[in-house]
Amino acid sequence: MHDKQDDQFQQKLQIFRDTCEKAGIKMTHQRLEIFYELGRAKDHPSAEEIHKRLRAKMPTISLDTVYRTLATFERHGLINRVQILDDKARYESNSTPHHHLVCVECKSIQDLYCSAFDVLDIPPEANEWGEVQSKHVELRGLCKECLKRKQEQKA
Ligand SMILES: [Zn+2]
Ligand SMILES: [Zn+2]
């Protein structure tokens, strides 16, 4: 199996290896597995969720290790923290500019690619406020599954 997603993942992995080498982050088995897990995830998992998934193949991995590793990755710009609603921190390794669709009900986060959002101008008010470093659009609402569930509840 060879597809585009696979290529993207390989690219991601190469950047990861290079960055770790430059930053002097030792490439341990656990770190690699944590990065793999997040690299494959499409759902912006929390540290707890990543830990749960990894425990299946690495029973000895601790939640603390996952926390600390994610913090290290984040510090070096290898992954991004996504904070939504009042939920706990969620993570992603997708560095391609994108936006988010957030369900307020089940708290799922889906990536949204939209070139029109990418080129949105920074309003002058924002530049008066300070220095804008990044920009991302978050659309909140109800995902299809939650909409369906609500309709079924009503019926
Ligand atoms: Zn939902
Ligand atoms: Zn995302």
Side-chain angles (χ1 to χ4, degrees):
M1 276 282 277
H2 193 84
D3 55 29
K4 206 169 148 252
Q5 259 182 4
D6 218 58
D7 282 349
Q8 280 176 350
F9 187 69
Q10 289 307 323
Q11 249 176 32
K12 227 187 255 185
L13 204 60
Q14 194 51 50
I15 294 170
F16 175 67
R17 285 180 190 283
D18 292 348
T19 307
C20 284
E21 207 182 291
K22 268 186 233 144
I25 303 169
K26 245 212 264 157
M27 184 75 65
T28 64
H29 177 57
Q30 289 194 333
R31 284 186 178 145
L32 201 56
E33 285 295 335
I34 292 169
F35 190 78
Y36 273 151
E37 195 57 48
L38 192 57
R40 283 197 215 96
K42 294 268 174 287
D43 59 345
H44 308 76
S46 64
E48 288 80 2
E49 189 58 44
I50 293 170
H51 179 242
K52 208 164 85 191
R53 290 176 199 174
L54 283 171
R55 266 219 324 237
K57 51 181 169 176
M58 304 175 82
T60 58
I61 193 163
S62 72
L63 181 57
D64 195 52
T65 300
V66 176
Y67 276 134
R68 276 186 289 117
T69 305
L70 290 173
T72 304
F73 288 172
E74 194 194 349
R75 215 167 37 241
H76 292 281
L78 285 162
I79 62 169
N80 290 312
R81 182 200 289 252
V82 186
Q83 194 89 42
I84 57 147
L85 314 170
D86 54 354
D87 203 19
K88 46 175 111 65
R90 308 261 293 261
Y91 295 90
E92 69 178 350
S93 70
N94 184 357
S95 54
T96 313
H98 68 280
H99 309 278
H100 285 137
L101 296 165
V102 176
C103 177
V104 295
E105 189 76 20
C106 68
K107 298 189 171 160
S108 61
I109 310 171
Q110 202 184 303
D111 287 341
L112 173 71
Y113 295 91
C114 172
S115 50
F117 284 171
D118 293 345
V119 298
L120 276 182
D121 286 330
I122 306 288
E125 288 84 353
N127 288 323
E128 271 162 40
W129 158 85
E131 185 192 72
V132 176
Q133 295 179 328
S134 68
K135 172 186 74 178
H136 123 266
V137 177
E138 187 175 295
L139 302 176
R140 291 182 180 184
L142 292 167
C143 72
K144 259 194 189 147
E145 283 79 48
C146 288
L147 273 177
K148 210 175 122 202
R149 205 170 327 121
K150 284 206 177 244
Q151 262 157 9
E152 281 166 0
Q153 277 167 3
K154 259 190 258 163

